[in-house]
Amino acid sequence: MATTPAPSSAKTADGPARSILFDVPFLRLWAGTTASGLATWALPFVLGLAVLHRDLSAAGLGLVLAARTVGFLAAVTVGGVLADRHSRRAVVLWSALAAAVAAPLLAAGLGRSLLLMTAAAALAGAGQGACRPAFQALTAETVDPGRRQQANAAMTMAVRGSTLAGPALTALLAALLDVRTLLLGIGLLWLVAALVPGKGRGAVTAVDPSAAGPAPRASFRAEFVDGVREARRHPWFLAGLAALVAVIALGYSATSVALPLISRDRYGSEWVLAAAMTAYIVGALGGALVIARMRPRSQGWAAFAGLAAYGCAPLSLMLPVHPGVVVAAYAVAGIGIELFNVPWFTATQREVAPDRLARVSSLDFLVSYGLAPVGLALIAPAIEVFGVTPVLGTCAAACFLVPAAAALVPTARHFARTTPEARADAP
């Protein structure tokens, strides 16, 4: 079967396209995605409250969160294949319902059965993992190509906004409600994610006219390999994955481990930790606002420059600088990460064959989430052996150099196999 990627931009004779904020199908999708993101973020925070209330041990918390990660990694590739085989809307529905069912199971096991909580956390992670590539593909089905960058910016702003406001909201609710009730509330968020989004307009595929009938269904493994093959058709995508691995597994992991230590030991206060993380989220919100409207001529190069800006965070922690420098560096890192994320998602939705989009997106999430725990596990021992400054210096150098090398890969300049001018002239 041949496939034809969706066109790169909407062509209308009626003037500029209407704002994405007035598009009801997108707003329904946005609400569902936001609910799933808030539920995903809230679970470890609420389980942390259970540790404070002595309903769950610290070791039990680690086991439950590890089970959720395993469930996520196991389901993300399965979800990608299923979302390309079947209706993306149906995959979102059933995976979000699975995560919703996990919430009352977690509540039932709290303080009673760690085994039940572990199994429920794995189910929650599986629902989350299966949702992610399906939501990415459903965005491409719901939003016309000319407004996808706005749509992706709105999605990431919702995630960052939830992260910024979530701790205060959850702390407020925790003063009024017990942990079991909060877990049930997470289940309600997953119900919103399952039921609110509407159907997409359908992926665009071109069927081989010489085919006598429907081709036999390929095996699950063959379809996943087909998604890998599709990813390999786009050198810019592979280069972007390599850059993401460097920044997440080295830069993000290093700062996650080192920032609390440096905030305590160098500055003698936790406020540097809180201020830096808040600055990162606020910077990410600002970056999403900027990139919603900005259209750089060399989109890929600009995105890789934004990703490389994360190196400012570990660099600021190397020397005894004023704490304001650390906070400013984290704000720059937050801006840069969204200057990469939004064009990255938009280009994937534009360039990848529509019937393989969910599988390619699942590779993105699998690499990003799969290698992050590895980095977190290795950074702390590395700091103990080599010291914090050499480790941070190495991680900062990787954040700067690997995206720069990725930008030199063919097709990386525009995140596309063709130039914007060629796409504009295409019929």
Side-chain angles (χ1 to χ4, degrees):
M1 175 183 293
T3 59
T4 304
S8 61
S9 61
K11 297 180 180 180
T12 64
D14 301 325
R18 186 177 59 167
S19 169
I20 196 67
L21 299 179
F22 296 100
D23 190 310
V24 173
F26 169 74
L27 290 178
R28 292 179 62 183
L29 178 63
W30 179 87
T33 306
T34 302
S36 72
L38 188 56
T40 298
W41 171 87
L43 182 58
F45 190 90
V46 173
L47 291 176
L49 293 176
V51 174
L52 294 178
H53 295 168
R54 302 186 184 280
D55 293 320
L56 183 65
S57 67
L61 174 62
L63 181 61
V64 169
L65 292 180
R68 185 178 77 146
T69 301
V70 170
F72 177 93
L73 295 176
V76 69
T77 48
V78 175
V81 173
L82 291 178
D84 283 338
R85 277 188 173 189
H86 307 291
S87 162
R88 278 84 185 255
R89 179 66 188 88
V91 173
V92 167
L93 172 66
W94 291 109
S95 56
L97 285 176
V101 168
L105 293 177
L106 283 165
L110 185 64
R112 300 187 182 96
S113 172
L114 182 59
L115 179 61
L116 177 59
M117 291 193 70
T118 302
L123 179 61
Q128 175 196 347
C131 265
R132 294 298 295 271
F135 267 127
Q136 280 292 315
L138 195 57
T139 300
E141 291 187 11
T142 302
V143 181
D144 58 82
R147 295 188 295 171
R148 285 180 191 159
Q149 187 150 319
Q150 284 188 38
N152 288 316
M155 294 287 196
T156 195
M157 287 175 64
V159 172
R160 301 300 183 183
S162 298
T163 306
L164 185 63
L169 177 61
T170 306
L172 176 62
L173 291 175
L176 304 173
L177 305 170
D178 60 23
V179 173
R180 286 186 176 85
T181 304
L182 292 174
L183 287 172
L184 294 177
I186 290 174
L188 291 177
L189 287 173
W190 278 114
L191 284 178
V192 172
L195 301 176
V196 170
K199 294 182 179 180
R201 301 186 180 99
V204 181
T205 59
V207 181
D208 185 354
S210 64
R217 173 68 70 185
S219 69
F220 197 92
R221 176 181 177 278
E223 291 204 357
F224 177 73
V225 170
D226 192 41
V228 175
R229 190 178 298 115
E230 171 65 21
R232 291 174 60 186
R233 289 182 56 243
H234 306 280
W236 62 267
F237 183 82
L238 299 181
L241 281 184
L244 279 171
V245 167
V247 171
I248 292 174
L250 294 177
Y252 182 78
S253 297
T255 54
S256 296
V257 173
L259 178 61
L261 298 176
I262 290 174
S263 179
R264 181 195 66 193
D265 298 339
R266 181 184 298 166
Y267 299 106
S269 172
E270 296 179 354
W271 80 265
V272 176
L273 169 63
M277 296 310 299
T278 302
Y280 178 79
I281 297 169
V282 172
L285 284 168
L289 282 171
V290 170
I291 200 61
R293 295 291 181 182
M294 188 174 73
R295 297 293 188 275
R297 289 184 58 84
S298 300
Q299 186 180 68
W301 285 358
F304 279 125
L307 185 62
Y310 193 90
C312 295
L315 190 64
S316 71
L317 299 176
M318 290 177 58
L319 301 174
V321 296
H322 189 277
V325 175
V326 176
V327 174
Y330 270 78
V332 170
I335 293 170
I337 205 70
E338 293 308 335
L339 294 182
F340 175 84
N341 279 340
V342 174
W344 171 258
F345 290 137
T346 305
T348 303
Q349 293 160 355
R350 181 189 68 233
E351 297 293 319
V352 172
D355 63 337
R356 298 179 179 90
L357 177 55
R359 279 170 282 177
V360 173
S361 295
S362 72
L363 289 174
D364 182 5
F365 296 126
L366 181 65
V367 171
S368 300
Y369 281 84
L371 292 178
V374 177
L376 288 169
L378 295 178
I379 289 297
I383 289 176
E384 291 181 1
V385 173
F386 301 106
V388 65
T389 300
V391 171
L392 288 173
T394 301
C395 293
C399 290
F400 290 131
L401 296 177
V402 177
L408 301 178
V409 170
T411 73
R413 178 175 181 176
H414 301 291
F415 275 172
R417 295 166 64 89
T418 58
T419 65
E421 291 79 7
R423 294 198 303 271
D425 295 338

